[in-house]
Amino acid sequence: MWLNLQRWSGLALSTVVVVATLWLAITNQLILYIHPRYVVFTVIMAVLALGVAVLALVLPPAHDHEEPVTGWRKALSVSAMVLTVAIAAALIVVPPATLTSATAGQRELNSTSVGADAQTVDGASSQSAAAFVKFTVVDWASLLRQTSDTAFYGGKGADVVGFITADEDDPQNVFWVSRFIVTCCAVDAQPIGVPVYAPDWESSYELDGWVRVAGEFESNPSRDSSHPIALVPSKISKIEMPDEPYLF
């Protein structure tokens, strides 16, 4: 009996994981967990795993002799089955979700290079005014890492989209328009962002809410924030989360 329970619990967990993976891929939510370039590979592996699960279901076990179950083996089997049920229930019940400001707070914002395609000061200096409004959070975060010269940012309008993360130094008056850069999967996602000076922003906007912020970068008016440059908005709009919340 215990041998059969172990076999069926393993098959059940494998099937739930495979079906959940395929469902996430079909609904375009697999990109909440992995980089898009790995989606096809993951789907192929899931289909192969589903085929193996079906074969294991229809083929008889190689050995049908069951050894007497000792106390510790019985406890281990029960624990494994409980864990199987818990994992399967979590995969089915818990809805897919993006990383949030809580994760950003655990991984320092703009702590590393923000990508090979990010803007450089020399490259951005030759751009037209129209080009700057197309810069993403990645582009501006890269420039903020390179220079705090207010003269560089003069006359360069910004229009960025991201979710709200509170500034650690001045959370009442400054928030960050944040995104995650994913190179492989959500585990290695790196938060990046730009500070926005918006006194009493919590009266109008929510933490983790998605916003579009238009304005210009200026010397940060905040007395407490440690960041010398901040985006001073001319307009902040609440928006829905983009279909692809991460940047790749």
Side-chain angles (χ1 to χ4, degrees):
M1 180 184 73
W2 289 106
L3 188 62
N4 283 332
L5 285 176
Q6 290 175 337
R7 175 171 178 257
W8 286 110
S9 63
L11 278 174
L13 179 58
S14 300
T15 302
V16 169
V17 171
V18 168
V19 172
T21 301
L22 293 176
W23 174 72
L24 289 172
I26 292 171
T27 57
N28 197 37
Q29 297 181 90
L30 198 55
I31 59 173
L32 299 182
Y33 303 99
I34 62 174
H35 192 287
R37 64 171 171 263
Y38 298 121
V39 168
V40 173
F41 173 79
T42 303
V43 169
I44 291 174
M45 291 297 102
V47 171
L48 291 176
L50 184 61
V52 172
V54 172
L55 287 176
L57 182 66
V58 298
L59 295 177
H63 303 285
D64 57 2
H65 174 67
E66 186 170 355
E67 298 179 355
V69 179
T70 61
W72 69 270
R73 287 189 62 190
K74 186 175 181 179
L76 185 62
S77 297
V78 171
S79 300
M81 283 184 283
V82 171
L83 181 61
T84 298
V85 172
I87 294 175
L91 288 171
I92 294 172
V93 175
V94 179
T98 62
L99 300 176
T100 65
S101 60
T103 306
Q106 297 167 357
R107 307 174 188 180
E108 186 179 357
L109 274 163
N110 300 343
S111 63
T112 60
S113 175
V114 291
D117 297 330
Q119 296 289 337
T120 63
V121 171
D122 290 340
S125 298
S126 60
Q127 300 275 2
S128 66
F132 285 104
V133 295
K134 297 181 180 179
F135 277 18
T136 67
V137 171
V138 176
D139 297 320
W140 288 114
S142 175
L143 293 173
L144 290 173
R145 282 174 54 87
Q146 297 172 59
T147 181
S148 57
D149 181 5
T150 54
F152 170 80
Y153 297 99
K156 297 179 173 66
D159 186 356
V160 293
V161 169
F163 65 92
I164 291 179
T165 301
D167 183 69
E168 291 185 352
D169 302 320
D170 188 5
Q172 286 76 36
N173 299 310
V174 177
F175 69 79
W176 289 69
V177 177
S178 311
R179 301 290 288 268
F180 280 96
I181 294 180
V182 174
T183 55
C184 180
C185 64
V187 175
D188 65 23
Q190 174 64 45
I192 51 96
V194 296
V196 177
Y197 180 72
D200 194 28
W201 60 268
E202 288 182 296
S203 63
S204 302
Y205 309 100
E206 296 180 352
L207 189 70
D208 290 320
W210 283 80
V211 291
R212 175 185 292 278
V213 183
E216 289 192 7
F217 287 93
E218 302 176 9
S219 179
N220 192 349
S222 170
R223 295 180 178 179
D224 299 322
S225 177
S226 61
H227 305 283
I229 303 293
L231 180 59
V232 178
S234 57
K235 184 178 182 181
I236 303 177
S237 306
K238 296 179 181 179
I239 62 172
E240 296 293 326
M241 183 179 71
D243 292 336
E244 292 189 356
Y246 303 146
L247 300 174
F248 304 102

